[in-house]
Amino acid sequence: MTTAVTAEPTKVPPKPTRRRMPGWARVLLWVAVAFAAVSITSYQTGVPQLTSSGTVQSAVRLGIPILLAALGGLWAERAGVINIGLEGMMILGTWGGAWAGYQWGPVAGLVAAAVFGALGGLVHAIATVTFGVNHIVSGVAINLLGAGIAKYLSTLVFEPISRNPRESPPVPKFDTYSAQPLGTWLQQLEDLQRVGISDAAGILGGLVTEVSPLTMLAFLLVPVSYLVLWRSPFGLRLRSCGENPVAAESLGVNVYRYKYLAVIISGALAGIGGAALILNPGQAGYLEGQTNNRGYIGLAAMIFGNWRPGGLLGGAALFGYSDGLQLRSGETSVHALFYGATLLLVVVAAVQVWRRSWFAAGLALVAAAVMYAVYWYTDELPTELTAYTPHLVTLVVLGVASQRLRPPAANGLQYRRGAD
């Protein structure tokens, strides 16, 4: 009698998993890479304006309206409502801020801008949430309506005062503040023109010099939005309306109420973004067309940031920097950015090689070669092209970021209570 011997199955050792770097660490690493690229570019091309404190101040001033519009888009779309109407709400905010600011001062202008923008958000909420209008159609209508209302009110109110229906009289501004003696010390370091040290001093100096309360408020709203939307029961319910409103309703969430609140807050934030064009230094008052599509660029910054507050802050900084650079330094500085873009693309290619993503690495190298060829064979860019630098950066960034985006699952979908 023989006994069958069964062999024990061989245990396959688990495949080692690669430890991923935390998200915040990856962001800091890429910020350091971008700083190094800009610093080297400034030295190699002889264009110190790339990291000067004046350029950074302009970038902050021009990036704040984009940041606030992006935050407005974040609030609406996290609740499932696409807000293409940010541009129109910003226009309403610029007019309201100029009107109240001229009458009663900058604080009143800020409040009025938020109210006017919130009214635009309310109209958008009524159309999309209550009546089920397509979100894109309603947003485009808000943009047209905002521009038309502002033009009518400007003709009615400002023309008798300024003799021009397209602009308001000068509006009082918020005072600005500088961190002293830190600002003076950073300016001295910047004047030394040492690679890296002077670049860092110029960037930091621009961030702590001549800062208005409205700028401080805008930066404060970024962590506040994160804490409210991701670290509070209110934010959890609001985001559930953008992910699965039917499930949220089954758990007792009043989806209509949260969508209304989100879109109204979205409009108020966009209105404050419009006020930043009026009440911060650098602009006399309301001027027809002064938003210059910043509502759309804010929407692009939100998408680039993957519907997260920290990401959209980076997007707004990028677009504000490109806008401030072309306004302050013109064709030469924008032309030098092609050299910096070449360095960044080479780093991207190296990262893709490390990840064994050969196609992406090859694509990055080809793009780097194109960027360097443009830099090498041209001396400066046409004025007609540099004027649209922020818009071109928007297109390029969205094209690059489109592969990793994850919008809210129910964003833009019509919702009806009791529907399956």
Side-chain angles (χ1 to χ4, degrees), residues 75 78 225-241 258:
W75 275 81
R78 276 297 175 179
S225 295
Y226 171 76
L227 293 174
V228 172
L229 291 176
W230 272 269
R231 291 292 184 266
S232 73
F234 171 82
L236 177 62
R237 297 187 187 103
L238 187 146
R239 287 187 295 115
S240 68
C241 297
Y258 278 88

Side-chain angles (χ1 to χ4, degrees), residues 105-237:
V107 175
L110 178 62
V111 174
V115 171
F116 272 73
L119 289 175
L122 176 62
V123 173
H124 188 49
I126 292 173
T128 56
V129 179
T130 301
F131 292 103
V133 176
N134 181 277
H135 298 190
I136 305 298
V137 173
S138 175
V140 172
I142 293 294
N143 290 336
L144 297 174
L145 186 65
I149 290 176
K151 187 171 184 177
Y152 170 75
L153 292 176
S154 182
T155 303
L156 189 67
V157 176
F158 292 149
E159 185 176 17
I161 305 172
S162 63
R163 306 300 179 187
N164 188 341
R166 298 184 65 249
E167 64 180 355
S168 72
V171 178
K173 307 288 188 276
F174 281 109
D175 293 330
T176 59
Y177 302 90
S178 300
Q180 296 296 354
L182 177 62
T184 303
W185 178 65
L186 290 173
Q187 184 63 54
Q188 292 172 351
L189 287 179
E190 181 185 355
D191 293 339
L192 294 176
Q193 291 301 305
R194 299 290 187 269
V195 180
I197 297 176
S198 296
D199 298 311
I203 293 173
L204 293 176
L207 293 175
V208 301
T209 305
E210 296 183 4
V211 181
S212 77
L214 183 50
T215 300
M216 300 177 197
L217 174 64
F219 284 126
L220 180 63
L221 286 172
V222 176
V224 167
S225 295
Y226 171 76
L227 293 174
V228 172
L229 291 176
W230 272 269
R231 291 292 184 266
S232 73
F234 171 82
L236 177 62
R237 297 187 187 103

Side-chain angles (χ1 to χ4, degrees), residues 76-103:
E77 300 208 6
R78 276 297 175 179
V81 180
I82 297 176
N83 193 355
I84 297 292
L86 290 169
E87 178 76 9
M89 298 170 195
M90 284 188 74
I91 293 173
L92 291 173
T94 58
W95 192 92
W99 168 70
Y102 174 74
Q103 300 287 341

Side-chain angles (χ1 to χ4, degrees), residues 57-58 61-62 171-174 176 210 212 275-287 290 294 327:
Q57 288 178 29
S58 298
R61 178 173 57 84
L62 295 168
V171 178
K173 307 288 188 276
F174 281 109
T176 59
E210 296 183 4
S212 77
L277 296 170
I278 300 295
L279 303 176
N280 274 340
Q283 183 71 41
Y286 168 81
L287 179 65
Q290 71 190 133
R294 285 184 174 87
L327 285 177

